[in-house]
Amino acid sequence: MADLPPDRQPAIRVTTMPADANPYGDIFGGWLMSQMDMAAGLVAARHAKGRAVTIAVEGMKFHAPVAIGDEVSVYADLVAVGRTSMTIEVEAWRRGRHVEEQCRVTQAKFVFVAIDDARRPRPIS
């Protein structure tokens, strides 16, 4: 993945808050992962034209910390589609509150499965 953020709008953009951080002011990895899951879920549900659920997260890498007050932008790209599943590459970038410089902080592949009303896998149309 590149050293610059993607040249498009992120799936999610959020400002980090004190409740999202540990006592040292670093944002919890689980909070960041949940933002990435939400971004990937938006892409999966739109492509599946319905409900889709996370079944796996592959290759989660944390590159840099995120601090309270940082802006986090999460980008999600559909990279593979099977009969019922989708793989979405996700990366999160941080930007300090008063600067323009950004850096990638996290990346992973999220795997989703489209499901029906009975929560069984269904074909992606």
Side-chain angles (χ1 to χ4, degrees), residues 87-119:
T87 300
I88 300 159
E89 285 187 357
V90 184
E91 56 183 22
W93 290 72
R94 69 162 289 280
R95 182 184 68 80
R97 195 157 185 79
H98 303 291
V99 299
E100 293 302 315
E101 182 182 342
Q102 298 180 63
C103 73
R104 184 176 45 235
V105 294
T106 313
Q107 68 187 81
K109 288 184 180 179
F110 284 71
V111 180
F112 280 75
V113 167
I115 60 172
D116 61 20
D117 291 339
R119 298 185 178 187

Side-chain angles (χ1 to χ4, degrees), residues 19-94:
D20 307 324
N22 64 29
Y24 299 103
D26 296 323
I27 298 305
F28 291 117
W31 179 89
L32 192 54
M33 188 175 180
S34 72
Q35 300 300 310
M36 295 171 73
D37 191 33
M38 282 191 278
L42 291 170
V43 171
R46 178 173 281 165
H47 185 77
K49 296 179 179 65
R51 188 168 179 186
V53 295
T54 310
I55 61 162
V57 178
E58 301 171 351
M60 189 79 173
K61 295 179 187 170
F62 293 92
H63 300 287
V66 178
I68 295 169
D70 285 350
E71 176 186 276
V72 174
S73 297
V74 183
Y75 300 88
D77 295 302
L78 183 67
V79 296
V81 178
R83 192 176 77 78
T84 63
S85 66
M86 297 156 280
T87 300
I88 300 159
E89 285 187 357
V90 184
E91 56 183 22
W93 290 72
R94 69 162 289 280

